[in-house]
Each structure stands twice: as C-alpha cells, then as structure tokens.
Amino acid sequence: QVDTDPGEHSGSLRDAVAREILDHPFGNPTFTGRSWPLADTRLLAPILPSKVIAVGRNYVDHARELGNEVPAEPLIFLKPSTSVIGPNVAIARPASSDQVDFEGELAVVIGRPCRDVLAENAASVILGYTVANDVTARDQQRADVQFTRAKSYDTFCPLGPWIVTDLDPSDLAVTTQVDGETRQEGRTADMVFPVGEIIEYVSAIMTLLPGDVILTGTPAGVGPLLAGQSVSVTVEGIGTLTNPVIDRP
Amino acid sequence: QVDTDPGEHSGSLRDAVAREILDHPFGNPTFTGRSWPLADTRLLAPILPSKVIAVGRNYVDHARELGNEVPAEPLIFLKPSTSVIGPNVAIARPASSDQVDFEGELAVVIGRPCRDVLAENAASVILGYTVANDVTARDQQRADVQFTRAKSYDTFCPLGPWIVTDLDPSDLAVTTQVDGETRQEGRTADMVFPVGEIIEYVSAIMTLLPGDVILTGTPAGVGPLLAGQSVSVTVEGIGTLTNPVIDRP
C-alpha cells in the first residue's frame, strides 16, 4: 500500500517502481497502467487484516529468556486490527505501562479463504510475507496472564514495508535494531513450529481470510523501547520495518 | 440483518416488519421504503464486527464456579470475527474438545469510532445491545491458560437476534436454556464492571469502530453442550438467541 499525492493505492513493487493494482492484490492482480517511483510515495501498512493471529514462545531461546516453557502446541493469541500501523508511523507508549517491548517477527499474509489446511499445502493459501513488530506492554502481560491488553494498544502492530510473494520462509535471518544497535538476531529455522505447522494448527480452529496476518513469534533479545528511540526489524529477503517511538499524547 | 428472497439487507424492525436501511445502520439511517414482514425473512447476525472484545470473570458467582478470583480490572480477550454466526445457525463442536460450554451474555454494539471514552459518556458511542453466546472449549481454555484457542473456533460467537437501540443495560435478566431447561439466571446489575466502565477500560487501550462488539461476561451456571441440543440465551428487553448444536463435520 502506498500513499501518493493524491490518494492511497495498492501496488506491486519492482525495480523501485510502484505499479498500481485495481481493486485488491489477491489472485491474479489487474494492473491499471499507472505507476510511481517508489521514492515519490509513502509506504503504508501493506494490508488491513480482518484478523491478526500471533504465536507465542515459538523460539526456544525467547521462551527461556522470559522464564517460560516451550509449549507442546502453538500458543496462539489475537491482536486487534486497530493496532496495525505502517512503516515510519510512531509506536505510542501508553502511560499505563512502564515497559513497552519490541518483538521482531516474520509475518505471513493469507491469500485466500481457507480452513483445515495441511502443513504441506500451506504455501497454496499464502499470499506472501512481511515484517512485523509484536509490540508488548510486558508489565501488563505479566500482571494479566492473558496477553490481550498488553498486545492490543493502538500502534502495537507495525507491519511492512511490503509483502514479498516469492520467498522460502524456512531459514531467514530476523534482526531487530534499536537506534542502530542490534538487539535480536535469530533465524526462522529455529522456530519451534515452522510456518506450515502454524497454518495447519490455526486453520483447524478458525477460517482464514485473504489479508489475515499471522505473526510467527520472536527470537531472543526482546527489550524495552523509550520515547525518542527508533526500532527497525529486518527479515532477510523482505526488508526493514522502521518505526519511531513516542509517549502516547 | 435479514435474508430475504433475494438478497441480504440491513433493516430496522418495528411491529414485526423489517424496513430496509440504505448502506449501514450507523448515525441517522436512510430508509429505502422497501419492507418485509419479519416472518418472511431469515435473521442473520445483526452485525459483522471488525473486532469482538470480551470481558472474563465479570460476575462474581461465575468467577467462583470456575475457581477464579474476581479481577481488580476488567479481564479482556478477543474473539475473531470469523467465529460470529447468526440465530439458528449451528454451533459446531470441534473433535479436538471434550467440553464445549455455553456462556450467555449481554453484548454491546459500538456506534461510532472512539477512543478514551469516559464511563459517563459511554452511551454516546453505543449503537445498541444484542445477545451473545461466548461459546468456549473449556478443556482447551484450562490447558492453554490463554483463552484464544478455546474461544476462537468458527461458530463460537452466536450474535442476535437483532440490535435494540433504546435500552438501559444496568439491570436486565440474562437467562440461558438448554433444550428448554434453565441453566443460567443472572442480572446485569451483578456485573463486577458495568457497561460504562468496560467501555472506558477498553477504549483506553484500543480504538473502537462502528460495529465492534463487546461481550460483557457471563453469570454463573455455564455448562456443556452436546450435539442435538438447542441453546437459547435471552436478555430482558432484547430477545432470545437460539442455536442448535452439532458435531463439526
């Protein structure tokens, strides 16, 4: 999704040019013929999901750093669509929390309505991949036990910068930097449940719709964000999602 | 929302007549002039929410019957929009659960985009009220600790039969019957956190959008549903939401 003067558009990015897509990016997209140099656009969140599903404790080292067991099945939770923001939009720390943490993650974008998808068929329901930051009010997560409040604040789900449709997700570097200093360095090969198994598990519970987003968990190294800092999550083969941090006005 | 032959329509119900509304039911609706006798329509879920927020342990007797403390703040969780069904659609028990419970509840439907709403102003952001059944795979809720899987299966959020826009929610009977036998009998006056306080709490976390639904918690008496049974939740001043129960095919 890109913002130009005037208007917002869905587009396909190639060679730093955004080519406008008619209607929506699912299936075989229709191109309108209009295009803009990427440098003349502002990138928006690449998708407005009907739901965001996330997997907790999906890297052994991260589960241990928070003192948790590695679960026997994927541990899922939901983030509201109102928490989604795009690249370069500020993450707003609420006054009610003393510790707002970054969690860099690979995100899967669903391409078609589906249910009961087997792991080996997961690729057929995936539109592509993007980068996510599963921002979490850690103190509230500990206090509530339920993850919902801690992970549902407006701005707590940065997504972007775009969706890469041709990517093997099985062994990609996931890196998070705060003000240029590396804080998380993981590889998707270390996921407890890889992408196919996550799709099988989630789609056995709920129907997945085009545009739904699944966050696949964060590697070790999570930590707090302060107003004035900038956090960047990079997934190899996709790109870098950068967001400044402010205190919620 | 009603289904007629042909098509689905938003409508206003009065004197057992459904009057068609143009576009959407928010703000001052525009009537098209078309109408149908209610008896000639099939009622659908009254709203397709962008998110469903629910409050756990909001009646003291229910918190105690499951062995839980009454929380000091509202305990919130999310259900996916794909779990919503309308009246008379079957609740499907997944093979993965041995105990699928009913939970009859008053549901609040949001009428306009809002954030940081004070309890005393809550009425200004509410479109109206409907009836909900927060269906829960109790065994999975206990096993996972996180509520998400247990409450997110397709068909686990019956809503309906309609939205009542002129209602005082402060002291209404909430009754659940299974095959005509009364199983839950509560009053909204016994909520730990009444509707206004819930709206204040939730809207301080996340922006609420028109059509978003908030389930306000269930009174004591929850219990399991079996295939072949019929479950009816009645909220005084609104109506009765009835759904048959099947095993998921």
Side-chain angles (χ1 to χ4, degrees):
Chain A
Q1 295 280 336
V2 297
D3 186 13
T4 65
D5 185 11
E8 299 181 2
H9 314 269
S10 288
S12 169
L13 299 174
R14 190 180 297 271
D15 303 327
V17 172
R19 296 192 300 148
E20 189 180 41
I21 290 172
L22 195 67
D23 295 332
H24 63 71
F26 305 105
N28 288 316
T30 303
F31 290 94
T32 66
R34 293 207 294 177
S35 66
W36 298 267
L38 183 56
D40 292 350
T41 73
R42 185 171 68 93
L43 286 163
L44 305 175
I47 201 81
L48 292 178
S50 84
K51 56 183 173 287
V52 178
I53 305 119
V55 182
R57 305 172 191 164
N58 200 30
Y59 290 79
V60 173
D61 289 351
H62 170 63
R64 288 188 181 147
E65 76 178 339
L66 294 184
N68 293 309
E69 298 289 319
V70 175
E73 295 184 294
L75 178 69
I76 64 166
F77 57 92
L78 296 166
K79 290 172 82 91
S81 58
T82 38
S83 66
V84 173
I85 57 172
N88 304 313
V89 174
I91 297 165
R93 300 169 74 256
S96 59
S97 173
D98 291 324
Q99 188 182 347
V100 173
D101 277 10
F102 57 85
E103 295 189 358
E105 313 201 359
L106 170 72
V108 181
V109 183
I110 297 297
R112 63 178 182 81
C114 58
R115 207 175 86 170
D116 296 325
V117 180
L118 295 177
E120 61 257 40
N121 301 327
S124 69
V125 305
I126 293 173
L127 174 68
Y129 300 89
T130 190
V131 181
N133 191 340
D134 176 21
V135 181
T136 304
R138 191 73 65 202
D139 49 351
Q140 296 181 3
Q141 183 187 31
R142 292 186 200 280
D144 292 356
V145 182
Q146 295 303 312
F147 292 178
T148 306
R149 175 170 66 139
K151 290 173 175 285
S152 290
Y153 286 90
D154 288 2
T155 77
F156 272 27
C157 191
L159 294 177
W162 40 61
I163 298 165
V164 172
T165 54
D166 186 16
L167 187 70
D168 176 350
S170 60
D171 188 19
L172 304 172
V174 178
T175 310
T176 305
Q177 293 191 319
V178 177
D179 287 344
E181 182 185 323
T182 299
R183 305 288 293 276
Q184 293 188 284
E185 275 193 291
R187 295 201 71 85
T188 59
D190 294 325
M191 285 183 186
V192 178
F193 302 101
V195 169
E197 289 183 37
I198 293 170
I199 298 275
E200 177 169 328
Y201 186 81
V202 174
S203 72
I205 300 164
M206 62 187 96
T207 295
L208 296 172
L209 298 176
D212 283 354
V213 170
I214 303 178
L215 312 188
T216 58
T218 198
V222 300
L225 294 168
L226 299 174
Q229 291 182 324
S230 174
V231 58
S232 294
V233 183
T234 302
V235 177
E236 182 184 0
I238 304 176
T240 298
L241 169 67
T242 298
N243 298 88
V245 181
I246 62 171
D247 286 328
R248 181 161 159 174
Chain B
Q1 295 279 335
V2 298
D3 187 13
T4 65
D5 186 9
E8 299 179 4
H9 314 269
S10 288
S12 169
L13 298 174
R14 191 181 297 269
D15 303 326
V17 172
R19 296 192 299 148
E20 188 179 41
I21 291 173
L22 195 67
D23 295 334
H24 63 72
F26 305 104
N28 288 315
T30 304
F31 290 93
T32 65
R34 293 206 293 177
S35 66
W36 299 267
L38 183 55
D40 292 350
T41 72
R42 185 171 68 93
L43 286 164
L44 306 175
I47 201 80
L48 291 178
S50 83
K51 56 183 174 286
V52 179
I53 304 119
V55 181
R57 304 173 191 164
N58 201 30
Y59 289 80
V60 173
D61 289 351
H62 169 63
R64 286 187 182 148
E65 77 178 339
L66 294 183
N68 293 309
E69 299 289 320
V70 176
E73 295 183 294
L75 178 68
I76 63 166
F77 57 93
L78 296 166
K79 292 172 80 91
S81 58
T82 38
S83 65
V84 173
I85 57 173
N88 305 313
V89 175
I91 296 166
R93 299 169 75 256
S96 59
S97 173
D98 291 323
Q99 187 182 347
V100 173
D101 277 10
F102 57 85
E103 296 190 359
E105 313 201 1
L106 170 71
V108 180
V109 183
I110 297 298
R112 62 178 183 81
C114 59
R115 206 175 85 169
D116 295 326
V117 180
L118 295 177
E120 61 258 38
N121 300 328
S124 70
V125 305
I126 294 173
L127 173 67
Y129 300 88
T130 190
V131 182
N133 192 340
D134 177 20
V135 182
T136 303
R138 191 72 63 202
D139 49 350
Q140 296 181 4
Q141 184 188 31
R142 292 187 200 280
D144 292 357
V145 181
Q146 295 305 309
F147 292 179
T148 306
R149 175 170 65 138
K151 289 172 175 285
S152 290
Y153 286 91
D154 288 2
T155 78
F156 272 28
C157 191
L159 294 178
W162 39 62
I163 298 165
V164 173
T165 54
D166 187 16
L167 186 71
D168 177 351
S170 60
D171 188 19
L172 304 172
V174 178
T175 311
T176 305
Q177 294 191 318
V178 177
D179 287 344
E181 182 185 322
T182 300
R183 305 289 293 275
Q184 294 187 282
E185 274 193 293
R187 295 200 71 84
T188 59
D190 294 325
M191 286 184 187
V192 179
F193 302 101
V195 169
E197 289 184 36
I198 294 170
I199 298 275
E200 177 169 329
Y201 187 80
V202 174
S203 72
I205 301 164
M206 62 186 96
T207 295
L208 297 172
L209 298 176
D212 283 354
V213 170
I214 302 178
L215 312 188
T216 59
T218 198
V222 300
L225 295 168
L226 299 175
Q229 291 182 323
S230 174
V231 58
S232 294
V233 183
T234 302
V235 177
E236 183 184 359
I238 303 176
T240 298
L241 169 67
T242 299
N243 297 88
V245 181
I246 62 171
D247 287 329
R248 181 163 159 170

